Amino acid sequence: MEHGLIVPPVYSPIPPAIHPRHKEIDDRTAAWAVQFGIGSEELRRKLVRHDIGTFAARILPEGREDVVSLLADFVLWLFGVDDGHCEEGDLGNDPSRLVAELSRLLRVAQNPDVPMLDPDPLAAGLRDLSRRMSRLGTPGQVARWVDALREYFMSVVWEASHRSHGTVPDLNDYTLMRLYDGATSVVMPLLEMGHGYELQSHERDDVTVRGVAEMAYFIITWDNDIFSHHKESRADQYYLNVLRVLEHHEGMSPEDALRTAVAQRDRVMCLYLRLCAQLEATGSPQLRRYLHSIGSFIRGAQDWGISSRRYTTPEDPADLPSTFSDTPTDDSTEALDIPAVAWWWSLLPRENREETLPHRRKSARKNPAAPRRRSSVRTA
């Protein structure tokens, strides 16, 4: 079989952490998947071996254990939808049927007592999740969870339309779609639930706070595209990630596409760090807690991405890194040439737009596809 891409260590200045009861959480999530019959028997066997409970334990390393378990069960449920309905099921090639099914599931999330999809395991699992959300969170947090679930459902239908026609969106459309079909925004209300507070709307809805959250979605999904490329490109089915987009529309080789994607996420990471520092200097204790949890989400996804069987695929090993870099390949303060997200750079105060990070070198290359020598730090 053709050798896959060698993924380099990616830039990660956020320290790793994990909940001390991650093993128990992972075991409970495996039992939950069996209890509700999430996915086909074959898919379920795969999912319970992917350390999804450990992933949730990395996202909320200091969180309430019942909320970490809720998050773990929800993430497994999302994979049941994404893998079972969208990527591997018939609905993934039929957007009109998929949108109808997801609309029914959304109604179950809104009101788990609605008599709809009663024999369906995904609906039964979602009923359980929705009731637990209401018990552990505030009405506002549950409402935001439902709204984020709607965004996720809408984006996976958009992706299904490309899958059904075998088309590849351009980079701008793909970026916008990927901000939501990575199911990142649906996690955000649980970051608050996990620590027993509710962020005030004037802070959560602040344009810079919203921008920082979107940057986290971008970093997490770009990392996922990079780490999952081996698995997806080996599968005998349609796949879509940023490397394929760059190869298809920019005519890049796989190696150049990988370097470009890494540089894009590095540049966003540098902006994310600058804006987080700016917000932490003036924000409330709750906002600082929220920003810290977003950082744990980013790092947790990275640690899980390079260690889970879902992406390492031991039967056909992916060449993933075991370390992370402490230096970005691109720390430019210029906006990425992606209109959907270029506005993020306007959030920097004008006097700070050329402010350098501690690691920045005067000779830094501006070419987002140009590699730089990396130094590595060991993961947890």
Side-chain angles (χ1 to χ4, degrees):
M1 180 173 286
E2 180 186 354
H3 194 275
L5 290 174
I6 300 175
V7 178
V10 299
Y11 174 48
S12 185
I14 302 167
I18 190 167
H19 196 282
R21 289 181 55 80
H22 59 91
K23 180 64 170 62
E24 292 84 355
I25 292 164
D26 198 58
D27 290 344
R28 282 200 299 269
T29 291
W32 184 87
V34 172
Q35 176 187 352
F36 286 95
I38 303 300
S40 66
E41 187 174 346
E42 179 183 2
L43 174 59
R44 189 162 58 252
R45 279 200 305 267
K46 292 179 182 177
L47 291 177
V48 298
R49 297 171 66 199
H50 289 169
D51 301 321
I52 292 171
T54 301
F55 178 29
R58 292 186 183 279
I59 295 173
L60 285 170
E62 301 167 353
R64 295 166 48 190
E65 187 175 340
D66 50 359
V67 178
V68 182
S69 278
L70 172 59
L71 174 58
D73 295 350
F74 178 44
V75 172
L76 187 140
W77 183 89
L78 287 166
F79 282 127
V81 173
D82 192 50
D83 292 358
H85 273 346
C86 300
E87 292 189 4
E88 300 173 13
D90 294 338
L91 292 180
N93 291 295
D94 190 338
S96 61
R97 289 176 57 213
L98 180 62
V99 73
E101 185 71 4
L102 295 180
S103 295
R104 297 181 189 106
L105 285 172
L106 184 66
R107 192 57 173 169
V108 170
Q110 291 170 323
N111 186 345
D113 295 326
V114 169
M116 186 175 288
L117 297 173
D118 283 334
D120 182 80
L122 283 174
L126 185 58
R127 283 190 171 87
D128 177 69
L129 293 170
S130 180
R131 289 173 177 136
R132 289 159 67 193
M133 292 277 181
S134 295
R135 187 168 68 250
L136 296 172
T138 68
Q141 288 165 343
V142 175
R144 285 189 296 278
W145 172 69
V146 171
D147 287 345
L149 200 58
R150 182 184 294 107
E151 291 177 336
Y152 165 67
F153 285 167
M154 182 174 68
S155 63
V156 298
V157 171
W158 188 6
E159 182 178 2
S161 70
H162 283 288
R163 185 183 297 108
S164 66
H165 294 99
T167 52
V168 178
D170 63 25
L171 181 60
N172 191 53
D173 270 359
Y174 178 75
T175 301
L176 180 58
M177 184 171 70
R178 196 70 174 110
L179 290 179
Y180 300 105
D181 79 351
T184 43
S185 61
V186 291
V187 172
M188 304 306 276
L190 285 97
L191 300 184
E192 300 175 31
M193 290 183 203
H195 293 281
Y197 70 93
E198 184 167 24
L199 190 63
Q200 293 297 305
S201 59
H202 75 274
E203 288 193 307
R204 184 189 304 102
D205 297 335
D206 176 80
V207 65
T208 303
V209 176
R210 288 192 292 109
V212 161
E214 287 192 1
M215 291 171 216
Y217 308 161
F218 182 97
I219 295 164
I220 291 167
T221 54
W222 251 234
D223 284 348
N224 181 259
D225 282 5
I226 291 165
F227 298 149
S228 68
H229 178 265
H230 178 92
K231 165 185 174 285
E232 293 181 339
S233 62
R234 293 296 213 264
D236 186 22
Q237 61 190 37
Y238 174 91
Y239 76 96
L240 184 60
N241 62 34
V242 66
L243 274 66
R244 188 176 186 206
V245 169
L246 292 169
E247 292 174 35
H248 185 86
H249 288 286
E250 306 298 330
M252 293 184 183
S253 67
E255 293 76 14
D256 282 345
L258 174 61
R259 282 192 290 269
T260 299
V262 169
Q264 289 169 337
R265 57 84 65 200
D266 283 2
R267 193 185 296 191
V268 174
M269 177 69 88
C270 291
L271 178 64
Y272 164 85
L273 294 171
R274 290 185 177 98
L275 290 173
C276 278
Q278 176 182 309
L279 290 168
E280 287 169 352
T282 58
S284 68
Q286 290 81 10
L287 179 58
R288 292 196 294 273
R289 172 76 264 180
Y290 185 67
L291 294 171
H292 181 77
S293 294
I294 292 175
S296 295
F297 187 11
I298 293 172
R299 179 58 193 251
Q302 293 167 341
D303 284 320
W304 183 67
I306 65 170
S307 62
S308 172
R309 291 178 63 95
R310 182 174 179 86
Y311 305 116
T312 61
T313 59
E315 63 281 0
D316 175 22
D319 204 337
L320 299 180
S322 59
T323 61
F324 291 98
S325 171
D326 59 8
T327 306
T329 63
D330 184 338
D331 59 4
S332 170
T333 56
E334 295 177 11
L336 289 178
D337 188 18
I338 304 176
V341 299
W343 69 273
W344 292 341
W345 279 263
S346 70
L347 298 173
L348 278 174
R350 185 170 299 277
E351 64 273 15
N352 293 338
R353 291 184 192 176
E354 289 304 319
E355 178 186 345
T356 58
L357 291 171
H359 58 254
R360 190 169 187 185
R361 304 170 183 171
K362 292 182 179 179
S363 59
R365 302 183 187 187
K366 296 296 183 72
N367 180 357
R372 290 204 347 219
R373 186 171 66 87
R374 299 171 175 83
S375 57
S376 299
V377 294
R378 189 168 300 279
T379 63

